[in-house]
Amino acid sequence: MELDLQDASADSGPIARPSLHDQIVGRIRDMIIEGVLPPGARIHEGQLGAQLGVSRTPLREALKYLASEGLLDLVPGRGAVVKRFSAQEVQDMLSVLGLLEAEAGRLACAQATDAGIREVRDLHDRMLRHYGRRERLEYFKLNQAIHSAILRLSGNGALATVHGILQSRLKRIRFIGNGSEEKWAAAVADHEEMIASLEARDPERLAAILSAHMRESWNRVRDAI
């Protein structure tokens, strides 16, 4: 019996593999988030390329991409430098994120499909498993994915785009916000409230917790900037 590929499930298609570019970008991004490459550090292309086992051409393309995300500055005569934000810049960006996420939460409660909300619940449950194992980077990536998912559920593309730009710039800052067990536990409690509000489709409750979460994010990171 021959299989009619046109009738086959989408899951039977080619397995997507990350490109070399995506792998390099991901590795360097993780190094910035975890502080291996700290704010203000100059990227030594030769050393980093040797460490990652890649040539300069794909490495430079990756650095340009990370600069477009706001994680690096490309400085004439110095090359790529890890972006350093002032305390005021961080506070301003977190304030705007709070406004964006509050509005996205309201829209998501009204417009999201049940399937979309279940996807956020799945991300949340996976995040909690990493929290239980104290796997900080894996937890953080799912944490960020939850915020992005709520923006997508809002159905407002412009809102999601602006949010994505600011969220990318704040990756390292947001990561250090969970530096202590107390702060980390408080962030997890916020997320428990978020998912409960989303599942209840309670727009004002979700908007309030998202806004408060961003205010607390500033309190968690300001002493570390």
Side-chain angles (χ1 to χ4, degrees):
M1 177 180 178
E2 292 186 359
L3 175 65
D4 185 347
L5 294 180
Q6 290 184 337
D7 293 333
S9 165
D11 291 340
S12 65
I15 298 173
R17 293 181 175 85
S19 66
L20 177 62
H21 171 79
D22 291 341
Q23 292 182 62
I24 299 171
V25 167
R27 285 284 300 280
I28 299 173
R29 187 190 289 119
D30 287 351
M31 293 170 76
I32 294 171
I33 291 171
E34 293 188 283
V36 176
L37 296 172
R42 177 176 174 270
I43 304 295
H44 296 275
E45 292 183 7
Q47 294 177 11
L48 184 57
Q51 181 179 348
L52 300 180
V54 298
S55 63
R56 288 208 170 187
T57 297
L59 177 61
R60 285 176 175 169
E61 289 303 312
L63 295 177
K64 289 179 183 177
Y65 184 85
L66 289 165
S68 75
E69 287 192 337
L71 294 178
L72 298 174
D73 284 325
L74 300 180
V75 182
R78 294 192 66 199
V81 177
V82 179
K83 182 76 174 182
R84 184 194 298 276
F85 293 107
S86 70
Q88 187 62 57
E89 287 174 323
V90 171
Q91 186 176 21
D92 289 348
M93 285 188 283
L94 287 171
S95 176
V96 173
L97 276 181
L99 294 171
L100 296 175
E101 293 203 1
E103 180 61 17
R106 293 187 185 96
L107 292 171
C109 286
Q111 301 189 49
T113 64
D114 290 344
I117 292 176
R118 284 195 298 271
E119 288 175 5
V120 179
R121 162 58 75 176
D122 179 63
L123 290 172
H124 176 79
D125 291 345
R126 288 164 55 198
M127 182 191 76
L128 290 183
R129 289 196 289 273
H130 288 300
Y131 173 64
R133 295 192 290 264
R134 296 303 187 267
E135 294 168 341
R136 192 172 296 276
L137 184 59
E138 293 81 1
Y139 162 91
F140 175 75
K141 289 180 178 181
L142 284 169
N143 179 300
Q144 296 286 278
I146 289 168
H147 287 274
S148 296
I150 292 173
L151 266 291
R152 286 194 302 274
L153 292 181
S154 77
N156 188 314
L159 200 64
T161 297
V162 176
H163 178 272
I165 292 170
L166 293 178
Q167 181 162 264
S168 291
R169 292 177 181 175
L170 287 169
K171 284 185 184 296
R172 169 60 186 166
I173 299 297
R174 300 288 300 281
F175 181 76
I176 64 176
N178 298 327
S180 71
E181 282 294 323
E182 182 181 1
K183 291 178 180 179
W184 199 358
V188 170
D190 284 352
H191 271 258
E192 293 275 22
E193 180 73 9
M194 283 177 210
I195 191 65
S197 302
L198 179 60
E199 289 178 331
R201 293 184 181 269
D202 186 333
E204 294 310 317
R205 180 183 171 198
L206 180 55
I209 187 60
L210 286 166
S211 181
H213 185 65
M214 286 302 159
R215 289 195 300 273
E216 285 306 310
S217 291
W218 166 244
N219 292 331
R220 286 191 282 265
V221 303
R222 61 183 179 182
D223 292 337
I225 299 174

